[in-house]
Amino acid sequence: MTEYTSNVTQGPFDTIELNALNTYEGSTSNHVLNSTQDEGMSALEVFSQKYAPLHGYISVIVCVFGIIANVANIVVLTRKNMITTTNIVLTWLAVTDSMKMLDYLPFVTYFYILKDNDLNYFSSRSYSWMCFLLFHASFSIVCHTVAIWCTIVLAIMRFLIIWFPAKGSMWCSHRRAKISIGVVYISVVIICIPNFMMNTMREDLKNVTDVNGNTYTDVIYHSDIRTKGVFAVVKDINFYIQALLVKLVPCVTLTIFTFLLIYAMHKAYKKRMALKNQGKKEDADRHHEHNRTTGMLLAVVVLFLITELPQGMLTLLIIFIPSTQKSVYNPLGDVLDIVALCNNAINFVLYCSMSTLFRDTFVRIFCNCCPKNRPGWSKTKLITNGNGRKYNSTHDDTTATAV
């Protein structure tokens, strides 16, 4: 048994994310997490210190559920009867969320649950795990940013389809949806290059004497940021890229399109009521189908906005009041993390609860053992409107959603 305590030199903000604004979702300060006394600590710092041991276990549960749920999303949304422009975007959103949680699961298991008691958070004696930590710090930002911009693409396309019914479907074709997703992936990787350049590690060497009198060198690796020379300029560039393109611009864009979608849904509802009053029930049902789809997609966008808006507001505060980062943002790092993970995992629940077509397809794929025509399940039939167009309908003549 070794008798020593590692003498880690902590900077004012030595965190796992290692990057500009240090805005990776796990941005909890080592200074907060590794403090052993409550004296002189704010209430948020005390909360962060006490929550950290629980964060690993909660995150593992959320990640396992989220990975299974997103794999189910991908399987269902890629069925032939499910291929739509909207579902193409939702599929790649599920792919991104899956990759993020597959990456986060080993990170939180090793650096939280299996952490050596004598080491600080995000430190390790394993060189391989520190390499993984550096990969995780960059990869998680890429996945998170891709998911944000995929959600923005989703909101824009749905708005165009509702606001311009004649040309919206043409503008938002399958091909353009795939091109948009490809542009998002490539662009995010490019804008995150400065972040990749910033991440590094350092090692601390300490001579240790064990209980038997044997002396050996203990090597402990810590995360670090390159800040000297040209990296001082890269750090500033990275700061503004992360602040603007990862936080502020997406938050503002999501907010704008949330209100536009709500207004578009209100107009669609009024049009549906007018059609029903004119006795055009089939046309009214078709509008109800689009409105239900929009409502579900609006729920996806709003949940993303609820997740991102607090971080965006804190980012704005940090720009004008830098001390906010240490006193507010850092202690809330793990909380922001778990909220983002929950958002990545909850879409499956939304699809099942709000989309009859998704639910029926899921049951047909994964629940073949369930009896058909089970009481309580909606039956779908094909209805042809006056123009010869076909769409799904439930037993009560309300149409199933497009997702």
Side-chain angles (χ1 to χ4, degrees):
M1 181 176 180
T2 310
E3 296 178 333
Y4 81 100
T5 303
S6 63
N7 59 342
V8 178
T9 303
Q10 297 179 16
F13 187 66
D14 180 19
T15 66
I16 175 60
E17 61 185 306
L18 321 175
N19 48 44
L21 194 60
N22 299 305
T23 51
Y24 154 70
E25 298 85 74
S27 58
T28 307
S29 170
N30 272 347
H31 175 73
V32 174
L33 283 180
N34 299 311
S35 177
T36 57
Q37 297 181 355
D38 292 350
E39 295 180 4
M41 296 175 63
S42 68
L44 281 178
E45 290 172 332
V46 172
F47 167 78
S48 174
Q49 180 186 355
K50 295 185 181 301
Y51 171 71
L54 301 175
H55 177 70
Y57 298 98
I58 297 173
S59 297
V60 166
I61 295 172
V62 174
C63 284
V64 170
F65 171 78
I67 291 168
I68 296 172
N70 278 290
V71 169
N73 287 343
I74 295 169
V75 171
V76 173
L77 293 174
T78 52
R79 297 307 91 191
K80 187 175 181 179
N81 67 308
M82 298 292 290
I83 300 298
T84 65
T85 298
T86 297
N87 290 354
I88 290 172
V89 180
L90 291 178
T91 299
W92 283 102
L93 181 59
V95 170
T96 305
D97 290 342
S98 298
M99 291 192 299
K100 179 180 175 181
M101 285 183 283
L102 282 170
D103 166 72
Y104 197 88
L105 187 58
F107 157 72
V108 78
T109 301
Y110 181 81
F111 287 98
Y112 279 80
I113 298 176
L114 303 179
K115 183 185 79 70
D116 291 340
N117 292 330
D118 61 325
L119 293 183
N120 292 334
Y121 281 88
F122 317 131
S123 298
S124 175
R125 292 184 174 88
S126 170
Y127 178 81
S128 299
W129 275 105
M130 287 307 297
C131 290
F132 171 78
L133 180 67
L134 298 182
F135 165 79
H136 165 76
S138 297
F139 184 75
S140 60
I141 289 182
V142 170
C143 290
H144 188 69
T145 308
V146 166
I148 294 172
W149 284 100
C150 280
T151 306
I152 292 174
V153 169
L154 182 68
I156 292 174
M157 285 188 168
R158 196 61 200 174
F159 171 76
L160 291 175
I161 290 172
I162 294 178
W163 203 258
F164 305 99
K167 297 183 178 180
S169 297
M170 180 183 65
W171 293 340
C172 303
S173 62
H174 293 185
R175 179 174 176 272
R176 289 181 178 176
K178 294 175 182 177
I179 291 175
S180 299
I181 297 300
V183 170
V184 166
Y185 270 81
I186 294 171
S187 300
V188 169
V189 171
I190 292 174
I191 66 173
C192 286
I193 288 176
N195 185 77
F196 305 154
M197 297 169 62
M198 298 294 297
N199 298 341
T200 186
M201 72 173 82
R202 71 176 191 275
E203 63 180 33
D204 285 346
L205 305 178
K206 183 178 178 66
N207 292 326
V208 179
T209 302
D210 61 22
V211 292
N212 297 320
N214 299 318
T215 301
Y216 64 92
T217 301
D218 191 20
V219 182
I220 302 176
Y221 299 96
H222 309 280
S223 57
D224 205 355
I225 309 174
R226 296 184 178 98
T227 57
K228 296 181 180 179
V230 69
F231 290 104
V233 177
V234 175
K235 182 179 180 180
D236 291 337
I237 294 173
N238 194 30
F239 177 93
Y240 288 105
I241 288 177
Q242 297 288 325
L244 294 175
L245 298 182
V246 176
K247 297 298 177 185
L248 296 181
V249 172
C251 284
V252 172
T253 306
L254 281 176
T255 301
I256 292 172
F257 277 96
T258 296
F259 284 107
L260 288 176
L261 284 174
I262 291 173
Y263 181 65
M265 285 185 66
H266 177 67
K267 284 188 62 177
Y269 174 78
K270 291 174 65 175
K271 185 173 183 179
R272 177 174 175 249
M273 291 297 101
L275 289 171
K276 290 188 73 172
N277 293 334
Q278 295 171 12
K280 300 178 181 179
K281 189 175 184 301
E282 289 186 355
D283 288 339
D285 286 343
R286 182 159 50 85
H287 279 279
H288 179 58
E289 171 190 356
H290 292 303
N291 222 26
R292 286 178 61 188
T293 302
T294 304
M296 187 195 67
L297 300 180
L298 180 61
V300 174
V301 174
V302 168
L303 284 175
F304 231 104
L305 182 60
I306 292 173
T307 302
E308 295 303 315
L309 194 57
Q311 296 188 43
M313 294 174 66
L314 286 173
T315 298
L316 196 60
L317 282 175
I318 290 170
I319 292 175
F320 296 103
I321 310 175
S323 61
T324 305
Q325 180 171 334
K326 183 177 180 180
S327 61
V328 179
Y329 193 92
N330 298 349
L332 290 177
D334 284 341
V335 174
L336 297 175
D337 236 9
I338 196 63
V339 170
L341 289 173
C342 289
N343 179 62
N344 298 147
I346 202 172
N347 284 347
F348 174 79
V349 178
L350 288 178
Y351 302 160
C352 283
S353 61
M354 301 183 70
S355 170
T356 303
L357 185 56
F358 181 94
R359 187 167 60 245
D360 290 345
T361 304
F362 175 83
V363 171
R364 188 170 65 251
I365 295 172
F366 295 102
C367 305
N368 286 329
C369 57
C370 295
K372 297 181 179 180
N373 301 326
R374 183 176 176 180
W377 289 96
S378 299
K379 301 177 183 179
T380 59
K381 60 182 179 179
L382 216 55
I383 295 178
T384 305
N385 62 19
N387 298 323
R389 298 181 60 184
K390 298 180 179 180
Y391 57 96
N392 288 320
S393 174
T394 61
H395 66 284
D396 58 355
D397 292 332
T398 58
T399 56
T401 55
V403 59

